[in-house]
Amino acid sequence: MPRATSHEIRGPRRRTSQLGVTLVHMLVYVTALAVVINLGATLFVAVLRMHDAGTAALDESLALRAIESELRETVSEGMSLLPVLGEFATSESTAVLALPPDLQTGGARYAVLQRLAEDDGFVVRRLGFQESPEGLTLTYMKTYRPVFTALGFEYGGDVAAARSVGLRFSLKAEENPQRPPREHHLRIALGGIGGAM
């Protein structure tokens, strides 16, 4: 029986060209992959938040532009401010406008812009009235969004002599606890005398 060589007793010799993955290599790869996945998820969440913030800001801007347009149209159609119309009185929370008479019936028309409390803020509601033989009839009602944190009408002195309506407001969406709310001002001339100011 031939004698075993020392090489055969120790077992097969490992080839230097043979490649393999050790447990340490696997742990390094898994750790690197976990870091990359974590960074990717963080970036994805940040992009989603920026998208949501941008969409919310765009929606607010469009809603604000729509309400400004409608208020400009209503106020510039108004001929004068009225101190009182039925249960409505012109004040910081309400603007009562006399509009040109109805072309078909000749009946007097009025618009009321009113501040209403809603969702820890304020919204604007527009009411339209027309004089008829039966009395004052509600012909139009619409509540505008967005929700404001502050909202008030300004007339620049005596209501009967006012030639414009001002609106002072701040948006709820712009609230930031680190700074005071940004206040916007809008002033619109009555009866088309010079348009918006």
Side-chain angles (χ1 to χ4, degrees):
M1 176 170 196
R3 239 171 133 201
T5 63
S6 63
H7 171 68
E8 291 172 349
I9 294 174
R10 281 191 253 143
R13 215 165 66 173
R14 190 166 172 216
R15 290 186 218 155
T16 54
S17 63
Q18 183 180 9
L19 298 175
V21 178
T22 65
L23 185 58
V24 173
H25 287 116
M26 281 299 269
L27 287 173
V28 169
Y29 294 146
V30 169
T31 304
L33 185 62
V35 168
V36 169
I37 288 173
N38 191 14
L39 287 173
T42 303
L43 183 63
F44 180 70
V45 169
V47 168
L48 280 180
R49 285 184 181 159
M50 284 193 308
H51 176 268
D52 290 346
T55 303
L58 179 63
D59 291 345
E60 277 314 314
S61 175
L62 292 174
L64 190 58
R65 197 172 285 181
I67 190 173
E68 280 184 15
S69 173
E70 294 222 23
L71 287 174
R72 284 183 194 281
E73 186 178 323
T74 303
V75 173
S76 32
E77 185 186 5
M79 299 185 307
S80 63
L81 278 164
L82 299 177
V84 177
L85 177 70
E87 63 185 80
F88 304 101
T90 297
S91 65
E92 186 192 7
S93 63
T94 308
V96 181
L97 301 159
L99 302 178
D102 185 75
L103 294 174
Q104 294 175 348
T105 64
R109 295 182 321 132
Y110 307 98
V112 175
L113 300 171
Q114 189 178 32
R115 175 182 73 191
L116 298 175
E118 184 176 305
D119 295 335
D120 297 329
F122 303 101
V123 292
V124 176
R125 180 171 72 175
R126 178 185 171 202
L127 302 170
F129 294 96
Q130 186 163 346
E131 197 74 53
S132 65
E134 296 82 33
L136 210 54
T137 306
L138 180 66
T139 58
Y140 183 85
M141 181 169 60
K142 182 175 180 179
T143 303
Y144 300 102
R145 297 290 181 264
V147 177
F148 300 96
T149 50
L151 179 67
F153 294 99
E154 299 170 341
Y155 310 105
D158 184 30
V159 170
R163 299 308 302 149
S164 66
V165 174
L167 187 65
R168 174 186 35 79
F169 60 91
S170 56
L171 282 172
K172 192 164 193 164
E174 293 179 340
E175 277 188 345
N176 185 339
Q178 297 175 348
R179 62 178 182 181
R182 183 174 162 215
E183 199 168 77
H184 302 272
H185 294 273
L186 179 67
R187 184 157 292 283
I188 309 158
L190 288 165
I193 52 165
M197 293 193 266

